[in-house]
Amino acid sequence: LSLLGFGAFSQAATWVSQATNFAPTSSGVRYVSAVDSNVVWICSYDGSGGGANRQDFSRTVNGGAQWTAGTTGAPANYDWSMIFGVNADTAFAMYYDAVVGSGGGIWRTTNGGSNWSQLGVGTIFNANSFPDVIHFWNSNEGWAMGDPNNGYFEMYTTVDGGNTWTRVPQANIPANLSGEYGIVGHYSVIGDNIWFDTQKGRVYRSHDRGHTWQVNSTGLTVPT
């Protein structure tokens, strides 16, 4: 009976194509942030092969029946690291400077993407930074991570929705290997636990929403 039931379910399961309504032609979806079964935020990439930087996003509030696209207004030399949606109104856009190779920042909307503003200007993610990951547990508590800067992984926490950020102390983060860095959008969160991986085949883990960290090697050798 269970096998018959599984077979019936497998045959009934389908995928439905949805139009993102991205304005530029040949737009792909770089990152998907699902808030719930109705609210989803996505960001784009240039699928033409031309390597253009993109600042486009799209949002649905009805499970994808309709998508509304727009742009965050980030600098033209910036490209997406990832997008994270908190609810239908609030989302965070993380960028790196794809032209210079370092620099970047975080933008936030609180009105469904109609307006975006950069957070922590002059206090987080300076010209030597490379932002990788951002995550929020609710509308107030969040964490952001970038490649090592000034000798250790650049990580911040916020408790006021991104209005102010506190850098995680170097003493709370195991030392990075020479040349080690994170990867845009590569992370996972379950409860208070965070994991992110590096190109050296290692995984950093926090059990307290990013305040303290441990690291272990996976034993995987990442090709040059």
Side-chain angles (χ1 to χ4, degrees), residues 19-220:
T20 64
N21 286 322
F22 284 136
T25 58
S26 300
S27 291
V29 178
R30 181 182 295 272
Y31 201 89
V32 178
S33 178
V35 177
D36 53 38
S37 58
N38 289 311
V39 179
V40 184
W41 296 77
I42 60 176
C43 59
S44 70
Y45 72 89
D46 177 17
S48 71
N53 300 323
R54 289 287 177 81
Q55 300 82 38
D56 304 278
F57 74 93
S58 193
R59 177 194 67 146
T60 181
V61 295
N62 54 16
Q66 181 179 5
W67 291 82
T68 302
T71 181
T72 64
N77 55 316
Y78 281 20
D79 206 352
W80 285 101
S81 293
M82 60 172 287
I83 193 168
F84 187 90
V86 175
N87 51 48
D89 297 317
T90 302
F92 296 85
M94 175 174 272
Y95 289 98
Y96 65 92
D97 190 324
V99 174
V100 177
S102 63
I106 301 170
W107 273 252
R108 177 184 64 189
T109 181
T110 57
N111 57 9
S114 296
N115 303 99
W116 296 79
S117 57
Q118 187 176 1
L119 302 177
V121 179
T123 61
I124 63 172
F125 294 127
N126 58 31
N128 298 316
S129 302
F130 196 105
D132 292 306
V133 170
I134 185 168
H135 181 88
F136 273 77
W137 286 267
N138 49 56
S139 58
N140 291 316
E141 296 176 275
W143 162 79
M145 183 275 287
D147 290 348
N149 191 2
N150 290 329
Y152 61 107
F153 273 101
E154 188 172 10
M155 292 192 256
Y156 301 93
T157 59
T158 180
V159 294
D160 57 9
N163 293 323
T164 59
W165 298 81
T166 301
R167 185 165 182 179
V168 179
Q170 183 174 6
N172 293 0
I173 307 171
N176 52 282
L177 303 177
S178 176
E180 188 173 27
Y181 52 82
I183 305 168
V184 293
H186 275 223
Y187 85 109
S188 186
V189 169
I190 299 178
D192 294 338
N193 297 279
I194 312 169
W195 295 263
F196 74 85
D197 62 318
T198 79
Q199 101 290 7
K200 294 286 188 179
R202 300 204 303 167
V203 174
Y204 279 78
R205 179 213 176 191
S206 172
H207 60 80
D208 55 9
R209 299 193 175 188
H211 294 284
T212 60
W213 292 85
Q214 304 86 39
V215 67
N216 279 292
S217 175
T218 63
L220 298 173

Side-chain angles (χ1 to χ4, degrees), residues 1-9:
L1 289 176
S2 62
L3 289 174
L4 290 172
F6 178 76
F9 174 81

